[in-house]
């Protein structure tokens, strides 16, 4: 089926009549559910009804909904007598109670942006599609930092069937979509009920297995709020317990069965590959931080599941994911977790040591059954996907950043890097510093030293809106090769990179810099200036240690030696109790 393009402005035209029912689910969330319901009602004439399902709350959630319903005729409230333990049953209740021809889902602590329902309804009507989908934005609170979920799927408007666009399987969310009730009823599509987490996986698989035409819009249609300081974290943040991984694997297995039962082998295979490329890598990144008991249990569960994979399914996954899978399959116990975590990062890094068996790259000399297939073939692993490791070390006495570019089984030795661009970018802003410097000849490895101008960095962060708050800066590099090619990657924190710096400053009085390793092992930098830095420094002297200076921004702050010109660039979550908070976010 050919991809059908559409003018994005079409989605902003008003629909002909109210045809959308928004189903809001909540449990013990009186603080937020009012905002969610009001965002649904504010969608305008596209929304015919809002159905709020209170899953036997014990706080004031039910009373808050009843008070809203007394003033708003489009709002109906369903009070469940017994808590369901999950998100599926209350959503199913809402679908059964709906009378509008189309339905959307909304969680109690999220919101719909203006025009979301209208954009999806216009797309569904224009393409005669029973499903319409748009962009979901993940907003971290209270900082407000936003990340777009699967943005590649929603760059332009159009319509396509799932088997013609298997990448749709990567968006397992149910909330950024509009569904025809008749379509759901015809195919008996419903959420798993009871305390079933990752219910989105199964519901979305049922939708895709029915092979509907799916209309997509570039509009933002859902705002997913992530509150990291919440008493009960969302499912996507609650990964410390092995039960979470067991539930995820079980939901994925059930989703694959849905595709197979529907006779869609291509989608079943695409789902299996997605598991490697997304789910496996996400959990491997965090594996070194878990307890030994968790690591052994995770390894056993994962190894058992991967054992059922066919070789063709492994080969269809991206190189980092299939290499990780091969290591897990080849070893009966957890090993090399820090190195695996680096390979699972985005972008991927494969740190040394490098080994070969019969001339071919392998994970380790004692693990020849874990080949790094395709690594030396540019046609299989192109330069842009090559998991080159660039180590970074911050020398505290001179505030000097040292970079070391490693070769990778001869790929860079054959086309050596000559220069490297270094970028520091403000985490919560737009400011960024970029500077290009030559690398040493005679590698591998290839090295360079860069003094960091911390006062300049702090000044740029303040200009970018950080004010007196601490600033966080991410570090990325782009090596340029002799042939003219280049690739972009993050840097790995090594050596003494994580030692704090306290430097006098004529402008600020005192500057504090705290290098730190991100969850993926990349080097990042926190900067505090002026009175805040003095307070943090005094606190450290008083207690013998200092809290991290926090998070912040970037634009220009480093320069090579000698200085060169720089250019500014331009789930609801189940609580750990019999009752469940309805907050899913299972991506």
């Amino acid at each position: 089926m050919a991809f059908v393009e559409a003018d994005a402005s079409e989605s902003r035209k008003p629909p002909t009549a109210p045809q959308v029912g928004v189903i809001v689910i909540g449990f013990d969330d009186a603080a937020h559910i009012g905002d969610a319901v009001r965002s649904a009602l504010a969608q305008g004439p596209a929304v015919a009804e809002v159905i709020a399902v209170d899953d036997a709350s014990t706080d004031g959630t039910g009373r808050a909904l009843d008070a809203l319903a007394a003033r708003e005729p489009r709002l109906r409230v369903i009070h469940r007598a017994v808590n369901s333990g999950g998100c599926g049953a209350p959503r199913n209740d809402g679908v059964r109670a709906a009378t509008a021809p189309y339905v959307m889902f909304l969680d109690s602590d999220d919101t719909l942006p203006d025009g979301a329902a209208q954009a999806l309804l216009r797309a569904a009507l224009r393409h005669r599609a029973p499903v319409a989908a748009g962009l979901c934005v993940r907003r971290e609170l209270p900082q407000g930092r936003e990340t777009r979920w699967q943005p590649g799927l929603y760059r332009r408007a159009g319509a396509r069937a799932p088997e013609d666009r298997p990448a749709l399987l990567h968006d397992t969310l149910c909330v950024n979509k509009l569904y025809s009730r008749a379509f759901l009823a015809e195919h008996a599509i419903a959420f798993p009920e009871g305390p079933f987490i990752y219910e989105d996986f199964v519901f979305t698989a049922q939708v895709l297995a029915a092979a509907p035409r799916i209309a997509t819009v570039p509009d933002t249609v859902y705002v997913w709020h992530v509150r990291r300081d919440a008493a009960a974290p969302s499912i996507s943040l609650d990964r410390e317990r092995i039960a979470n991984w067991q539930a995820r694997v079980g939901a994925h297995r059930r989703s694959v069965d849905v595709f197979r039962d529907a006779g869609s082998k291509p989608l079943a295979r695409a789902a299996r590959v997605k598991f490697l490329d997304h789910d496996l890598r996400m959990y491997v990144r965090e594996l070194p931080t878990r307890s030994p008991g968790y690591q052994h249990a995770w390894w056993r569960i994962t190894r058992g599941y991967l054992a059922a994979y066919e070789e063709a399914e492994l080969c269809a996954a991206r190189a980092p994911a299939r290499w990780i899978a091969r290591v897990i399959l080849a070893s009966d116990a957890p090993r090399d977790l820090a190195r695996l975590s680096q390979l699972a990062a985005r972008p991927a890094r494969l740190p040394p040591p490098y080994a070969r068996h019969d001339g071919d790259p392998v994970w380790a000399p004692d693990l020849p059954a874990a080949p790094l297939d395709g690594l030396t073939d540019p046609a299989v692993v192109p330069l842009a996907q090559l998991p080159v490791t660039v180590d970074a070390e911050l020398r505290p006495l001179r505030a000097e950043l040292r970079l070391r570019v490693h070769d990778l089984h001869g790929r860079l030795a054959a086309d050596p890097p000559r220069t490297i661009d270094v970028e520091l970018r403000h985490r919560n802003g737009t400011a960024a510093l970029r500077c290009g410097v030559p690398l040493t000849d005679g590698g591998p490895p290839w090295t360079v030293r860069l003094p960091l101008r911390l006062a300049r960095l702090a000044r740029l962060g303040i200009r970018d809106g950080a004010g007196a708050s601490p600033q966080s800066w991410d570090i990325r590099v782009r090596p340029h090769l002799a042939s003219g090619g280049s690739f972009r990657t993050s840097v790995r924190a090594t050596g003494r990179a994580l030692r704090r710096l306290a430097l006098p400053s004529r402008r600020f009085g005192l500057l504090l810099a705290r290098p730190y390793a991100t969850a993926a092992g990349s080097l990042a930098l926190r900067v505090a200036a002026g009175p805040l830095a003095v307070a943090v420094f005094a606190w450290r002297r008083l207690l013998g240690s200092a809290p991290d200076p926090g998070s912040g921004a970037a634009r220009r702050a480093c320069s090579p030696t000698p200085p060169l010109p720089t250019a500014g660039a331009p789930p609801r979550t189940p609580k750990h109790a019999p009752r469940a908070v309805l907050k899913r976010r299972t991506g």
Side-chain angles (χ1 to χ4, degrees), residues 323 356 374-388 406-417 446 481:
W323 295 339
R356 289 180 178 263
L375 177 58
T376 57
D377 187 348
V380 178
V381 183
L383 179 63
Q385 300 174 18
L386 195 64
V388 172
H406 292 275
D407 190 19
L408 189 56
H409 285 286
R411 287 288 298 270
L412 294 191
D415 188 8
W446 299 269
L481 309 186

Side-chain angles (χ1 to χ4, degrees), residues 61-412:
T61 298
R63 293 190 299 274
L65 290 173
D66 289 339
L68 284 170
R71 302 190 301 269
E72 175 52 62
R74 285 184 299 166
L75 174 61
R76 285 186 287 150
V77 181
I78 297 174
H79 296 282
R80 289 180 56 89
V82 179
N83 179 261
S84 68
C87 301
R91 288 202 187 113
N92 291 338
D93 290 346
V95 173
R96 284 190 290 266
T99 59
Y102 295 91
V103 293
M104 297 175 63
F105 301 108
L106 174 62
D107 284 356
S108 61
D109 60 348
D110 298 333
T111 55
L112 298 179
D114 291 344
Q118 178 176 290
L120 292 173
L121 179 58
R122 288 291 307 182
L125 296 176
R126 184 180 190 276
H127 294 289
R128 295 186 177 88
V131 180
L135 188 65
C136 171
V137 169
R138 170 183 163 133
R139 180 179 296 162
E140 295 194 24
L141 299 176
Q143 296 88 350
R145 184 186 182 192
E146 294 188 349
T147 305
R148 296 179 298 165
W149 173 253
Q150 298 294 335
L153 297 175
Y154 304 110
R155 289 201 173 100
R156 57 179 177 176
R160 214 164 185 179
E163 288 206 2
D164 295 324
R165 199 181 188 195
L168 290 168
L169 272 73
H170 284 259
D171 184 1
T172 54
L173 303 182
C174 71
V175 290
N176 58 332
K177 300 175 180 69
L178 176 84
Y179 308 91
S180 160
R181 276 200 311 116
F183 164 77
L184 297 179
E186 178 186 356
H187 297 280
I189 296 172
F191 290 94
E193 300 212 4
F196 190 103
I197 64 175
Y198 297 111
E199 78 291 332
D200 282 20
F201 284 16
V202 179
F203 180 85
T204 301
Q206 293 177 68
V207 170
L208 298 177
R213 177 191 289 264
I214 298 178
T216 57
V217 299
D219 309 70
T220 298
V221 301
Y222 197 88
V223 180
W224 161 15
H225 290 142
V226 177
R227 294 175 171 85
R228 293 187 179 274
D229 58 352
S234 68
I235 288 173
S236 61
L237 301 178
D238 184 28
R239 296 195 288 265
E240 290 83 1
R241 298 176 304 133
I242 194 62
N244 179 279
W245 180 241
Q246 288 175 309
R248 194 178 190 103
V249 171
H252 181 265
R253 181 185 284 112
R254 185 163 164 181
S255 300
V256 172
D257 290 341
V258 168
F259 292 127
R260 287 174 173 165
D261 292 344
S264 181
K265 291 183 179 179
L267 290 183
R269 177 177 174 178
R272 301 258 282 181
V273 173
K274 176 261 177 187
F275 177 83
L276 299 177
D277 285 333
H278 177 70
D279 307 68
L280 182 67
R281 287 180 69 174
M282 177 168 58
Y283 281 72
V284 168
R285 285 198 296 271
E286 302 169 349
L287 204 50
T289 67
R290 306 302 185 214
S291 69
Y294 178 102
Q295 292 168 356
H296 281 271
W298 186 94
W299 199 271
R300 174 181 49 79
I301 294 166
T302 308
R303 196 162 182 253
Y305 187 53
L306 295 180
Y309 269 64
E310 299 175 358
E311 178 64 19
E313 293 172 328
L314 292 175
C315 291
R318 295 184 180 94
R322 70 171 180 265
W323 295 339
I324 292 168
R326 293 192 195 284
V327 172
I328 295 171
L329 287 169
S331 176
D332 58 4
R335 58 170 290 163
D336 306 332
L337 299 186
R339 193 166 177 241
L340 282 171
S341 177
Q342 293 284 315
L343 186 57
R346 296 184 187 274
R349 297 185 295 264
L350 180 58
Y354 304 123
R356 289 180 178 263
H357 179 74
D358 291 339
D360 296 321
V362 294
W363 178 257
D366 63 332
L367 213 63
L372 305 179
D373 51 310
L375 177 58
T376 57
D377 187 348
V380 178
V381 183
L383 179 63
Q385 300 174 18
L386 195 64
V388 172
T389 296
V390 179
D391 288 339
E393 181 180 356
L394 186 60
R395 290 300 178 101
L397 294 181
R398 300 178 58 189
E400 181 181 77
L401 183 67
R402 297 187 177 185
L403 302 178
R404 176 186 296 254
V405 182
H406 292 275
D407 190 19
L408 189 56
H409 285 286
R411 287 288 298 270
L412 294 191

